Amino acid sequence: MTKHFPRTALLTTVLTLASLAGAQGTTLTLALPVDIPGFDTQNASTTASETVYTNMFDRLMFFDAAGKLRPALATSYKQINDTTMQLNLRRNVKFHNGDAFTAADVKFTLERGARDAKLFVNDTLKDIKTVKVINDHTVQIVTAGPDPVLLNRLSRRGTEILPSKYLNKVGWTEFNKKPIGTGPFKFNSWKRDDRVVLDINASYWRGKPAWTQLVVRAIPEEATRVNELLTGGVDIAVDIPSQDVKRIRANSKVEVVTQPTSRVMMFAFNMEKDSATSNEKLRAAIDYAIDRKLLIDTVMGGYGTPVAARVTQGVRDAPLSYYKKSVYDPKKAAQMLKEAGYRPGQLTITLQGPKGRYPQDAEILQTVGAMLQAVGINTKIETLEWSAYNSRIWDAGKVTNMGMIGVANSMMDGWFALRTLPCKGTYSNITHWCNPTFDKALDQASSSLDRVQRAALLRQAYAIVASERPMISLFQVHSLIGINKRVDWQPRADEVLWMYEAKPVK
């Protein structure tokens, strides 16, 4: 049976957004902590890159602000059999150079992501065997096995539909200089480590955006982002430090909005044989020593929710028994340290993390270090600017003992939250953890079409992670975003900054 998307909801969305077309056009400026790496949408993973790509390109599916899957470049779907899904594609959609969007673009995009293991998006698309072009507006996606979250995958970052005809003509080097998509804004210019400038796509299929230009600035320093917001240099600034909230709210022209997100701050342990953190009882001691509530109250200004696993509300099939939960127990931490074979003050471990990538990230490291000191574990803190941390420590698999990361759940799915942890997962070079029972449960969950069975398998997988602790979770991030009151826009739980939803206040 073909599943058509609710016409009423779609019509309401289109009419609401179309009404913005009459709003006065002007420039909307965003401030983010980091710049984009380029315009290969399938090989980037940051919120900054997603912000630019989301406003330049379209995906087949798209989560709306309420977390519901909505049509984008696909209009309906039909499950042909357990491994084949047919999608009908939107007609009369044009890329920014005038080329028509067709099924060939879907095949090019999804098969490139599925077959090139070096691309970031490969982890999302690798189970796609082939994309059959039925006609210019119909494709069939064939997967290696049953896939209960295929539509979620097609909504995720990295699945923006690329222009196959244009790319085959100009190649990736030229595309990186003059990228085109089908989205509400089109490329104007990019000055690395400074800003991306996008112009209005007046022919956008959803209707003309409310802004004639969108500028995305990279401003790593928190104080500078705040000052730019207060002086009108930017309209929207993300990752506002909690200590600046009162000062910003005293300014009549701006406001600060908080939004619980799907992002969870975590530590990964290096469990290599020669690493101290290969000791299971030591990892338990560290977990029990961290007071999540105190961390949230003192460092994050109260903006966060303690979690004992990578779970947040609204994530499909994730066990919420770990949500709003802390395992803090200093007496138990001291006992575990003793059972691990260490006297108080005997052991020093290294905590590594970025500085300026997440709100208060350096302060989180310092505070956790102090908490470990309090139970008798000496700590060495190492912070690096994000790109250096990512390239030299995290992606390079050079975590000494504990490496900090904050990860969102762009598929809003419980399986997705654990997919990096299997024996051959992308975090295996960091944790060096391998549990075949965990792998089996997660693998079965990845292909189970039975929601009850799938949830049970994921509970088993989460329990193994909670017991063996290759990673420990700290808290759910509540984003703090500064917004000039001339802009009518609300942040979303998925942290997507889709500026087509923003409009000038009349």
Side-chain angles (χ1 to χ4, degrees):
M1 182 177 69
T2 299
K3 302 279 184 77
H4 290 276
F5 300 100
R7 294 179 61 85
T8 302
L10 176 60
L11 181 61
T12 300
T13 301
V14 170
L15 289 175
T16 300
L17 296 173
S19 69
L20 304 182
Q24 183 180 2
T26 184
T27 297
L28 178 66
T29 304
L30 313 183
L32 308 180
V34 297
D35 194 16
I36 63 171
F39 289 93
D40 186 344
T41 58
Q42 299 192 314
N43 209 22
S45 61
T46 66
T47 302
S49 57
E50 183 172 34
T51 296
V52 173
Y53 303 159
T54 298
N55 286 287
M56 285 185 62
F57 299 84
D58 286 303
R59 302 167 190 155
L60 293 170
M61 303 291 295
F62 193 62
F63 278 104
D64 67 13
K68 302 293 184 185
L69 268 179
R70 297 297 186 191
L73 291 182
T75 56
S76 64
Y77 68 91
K78 179 170 65 177
Q79 194 76 47
I80 303 296
N81 54 50
D82 281 354
T83 58
T84 304
M85 179 177 287
Q86 180 165 302
L87 295 172
N88 293 317
L89 306 178
R90 192 171 299 279
R91 297 170 183 264
N92 303 316
V93 175
K94 302 284 188 182
F95 286 99
H96 297 153
N97 68 343
D99 287 348
F101 157 70
T102 71
D105 303 305
V106 176
K107 179 178 177 66
F108 173 87
T109 301
L110 299 186
E111 290 189 348
R112 175 180 185 254
R115 292 173 182 175
D116 188 344
K118 292 180 291 187
L119 294 173
F120 173 80
V121 78
N122 180 257
D123 185 50
T124 299
L125 300 179
K126 62 186 177 184
D127 289 334
I128 292 178
K129 290 179 62 177
T130 188
V131 177
K132 297 179 180 177
V133 174
I134 306 305
N135 56 50
D136 276 354
H137 299 99
T138 309
V139 295
Q140 289 183 352
I141 300 175
V142 181
T143 54
D147 188 346
V149 290
L150 179 59
L151 292 177
N152 299 55
R153 294 181 197 279
L154 301 180
S155 72
R156 190 175 181 245
R157 65 178 64 166
T159 63
E160 293 82 6
I161 299 302
L162 296 164
S164 58
K165 180 179 176 183
Y166 179 69
L167 268 164
N168 287 330
K169 177 182 178 181
V170 304
W172 279 103
T173 300
E174 189 63 19
F175 182 81
N176 209 41
K177 298 175 183 174
K178 297 178 181 178
I180 61 169
T182 61
F185 295 93
K186 55 187 179 181
F187 180 76
N188 175 306
S189 62
W190 175 36
K191 185 177 181 182
R192 187 179 289 275
D193 296 326
D194 183 19
R195 67 190 62 200
V196 178
V197 179
L198 306 177
D199 294 333
I200 185 173
N201 174 11
S203 303
Y204 189 46
W205 59 270
R206 282 185 169 102
K208 191 166 62 175
W211 308 90
T212 54
Q213 195 167 72
L214 175 64
V215 179
V216 183
R217 295 178 58 187
I219 306 178
E221 300 81 12
E222 293 174 341
T224 306
R225 284 202 303 279
V226 170
N227 286 333
E228 288 279 6
L229 176 71
L230 292 173
T231 58
V234 303
D235 298 300
I236 297 175
V238 305
D239 292 354
I240 296 294
S242 57
Q243 67 267 23
D244 287 326
V245 170
K246 187 175 180 180
R247 181 165 69 101
I248 294 172
R249 284 177 172 162
N251 186 313
S252 62
K253 294 183 179 180
V254 295
E255 61 181 336
V256 178
V257 179
T258 182
Q259 170 67 56
T261 72
S262 65
R263 187 176 302 275
V264 172
M265 297 305 299
M266 304 184 294
F267 277 108
F269 288 108
N270 177 359
M271 296 168 60
E272 274 186 303
K273 187 177 178 181
D274 295 336
S275 172
T277 40
S278 65
N279 187 316
E280 184 173 344
K281 291 186 183 296
L282 176 62
R283 298 196 302 277
I286 291 170
D287 199 8
Y288 289 129
I290 300 174
D291 186 343
R292 274 93 168 153
K293 185 176 185 306
L294 183 63
L295 186 66
I296 292 167
D297 289 343
T298 58
V299 179
M300 307 306 294
Y303 298 105
T305 302
V307 294
R310 192 182 161 188
V311 296
T312 58
Q313 291 182 314
V315 173
R316 171 181 163 133
D317 296 337
L320 288 179
S321 57
Y322 298 99
Y323 188 64
K324 293 185 177 179
K325 182 178 179 181
S326 175
V327 296
Y328 174 60
D329 188 335
K331 290 183 179 178
K332 206 166 183 178
Q335 180 62 34
M336 286 291 105
L337 181 64
K338 181 179 180 181
E339 292 182 18
Y342 296 102
R343 299 186 305 278
Q346 182 183 359
L347 173 68
T348 298
I349 64 169
T350 301
L351 278 64
Q352 296 161 299
K355 182 177 183 179
R357 170 64 181 88
Y358 310 107
Q360 311 295 105
D361 43 18
E363 290 79 7
I364 293 171
L365 281 167
Q366 293 289 345
T367 305
V368 170
M371 291 174 175
L372 300 191
Q373 291 273 172
V375 300
I377 302 172
N378 296 327
T379 56
K380 175 185 175 184
I381 309 297
E382 181 180 349
T383 58
L384 293 170
E385 182 271 329
W386 167 248
S387 62
Y389 173 71
N390 198 34
S391 61
R392 299 179 198 168
I393 305 294
W394 188 262
D395 276 354
K398 299 295 185 183
V399 170
T400 303
N401 296 122
M402 297 172 63
M404 190 174 77
I405 194 81
V407 189
N409 193 327
S410 60
M411 279 177 53
M412 299 300 286
D413 184 76
W415 164 84
F416 181 80
L418 301 181
R419 82 199 188 289
T420 56
L421 289 176
C423 300
K424 295 183 179 179
T426 52
Y427 286 0
S428 61
N429 70 327
I430 299 167
T431 66
H432 306 278
W433 178 65
C434 181
N435 184 317
T437 303
F438 168 84
D439 282 18
K440 182 179 179 182
L442 198 66
D443 184 58
Q444 290 177 341
S446 72
S447 60
S448 175
L449 300 177
D450 183 328
R451 288 289 298 275
V452 174
Q453 179 193 47
R454 186 172 191 267
L457 289 164
L458 288 176
R459 283 196 300 275
Q460 179 187 1
Y462 273 88
I464 293 172
V465 174
S467 173
E468 299 192 8
R469 298 180 173 89
M471 297 187 78
I472 57 172
S473 300
L474 302 176
F475 59 88
Q476 174 194 25
V477 174
H478 293 194
S479 66
L480 289 169
I481 299 184
I483 306 173
N484 190 300
K485 291 182 179 178
R486 80 184 186 98
V487 180
D488 181 7
W489 175 76
Q490 287 295 314
R492 302 160 46 126
D494 60 9
E495 300 181 274
V496 172
L497 302 176
W498 194 43
M499 291 298 104
Y500 188 70
E501 293 177 320
K503 63 180 184 295
V505 173
K506 294 181 180 177

